[in-house]
Amino acid sequence: MLHRHWFSCILYAAFSVLHAAADHHTCEWQGPGTLSPEKYGYILFCRAPITILNTTHAEYVCPSVYWLRIMVADYGFLRPETLEVATPCGHKGFARGSQCDYHTWGVCDAPSDRTRDPSTFNCKFIGRKDDCEWPVTFPTSAYAPVSVDIWMKLRGGSLRWCGSLELVEPSEGDTVTVRGATRRSSAILSSTLTKRVACLSLFA
Ligand SMILES: *[C@@H]1O[C@H](CO)[C@@H](O)[C@H](O)[C@H]1NC(C)=O
């Protein structure tokens, strides 16, 4: 368990299941550009912190106030040293309903809000029914990203979705306990507190 609650999010949840085979790719498509996906109209789906299982395996699960366990990426399961991003809207995808209206999603290897220096994160874009493996491998789970950002973009004028997003990050030097192993948060997780309210209908 992470001691700090990074992010809580009230998610629109309409349960329709899409069945389509996910195409597996390397995460290499730069999509609209190299800036924060927020600059291109994307909305943060979640910031998923790493849960280290052991030196070779880890999971990235969205913090959730609900019972849903939304795993958006894992490390070491597809193959050793490899970070794999799950499909949002393909078979067994983690997204729901109108979250799948738009054709592409963004994924970043570090916090990637629009206020961040773009040199501190790498973002790639994937088709909604795709999954992908990160182009860089990590020798152990200790080197894998401390968190991943998953970005989505919605459309549809009748959308009635408003959620409050709250994002609290650990300060540098804070102790983060990951299933028994204790790590210091890195400098990239500098102390910030961001509170936002997102009404996705604004983007319709
Ligand atoms: C690490 O965790 C994975 C996933 O739980 C497991 O399959 C693997 O056997 C574990 N490896 C070791 C060395 O414990």
Side-chain angles (χ1 to χ4, degrees), residues 53-54 56-57 77:
L53 304 176
N54 56 38
T56 56
H57 290 76
F77 286 89

Side-chain angles (χ1 to χ4, degrees), residues 30-43:
Q30 208 57 71
T34 57
L35 301 176
S36 166
E38 211 176 349
K39 296 270 191 185
Y40 309 115
Y42 285 74
I43 302 149

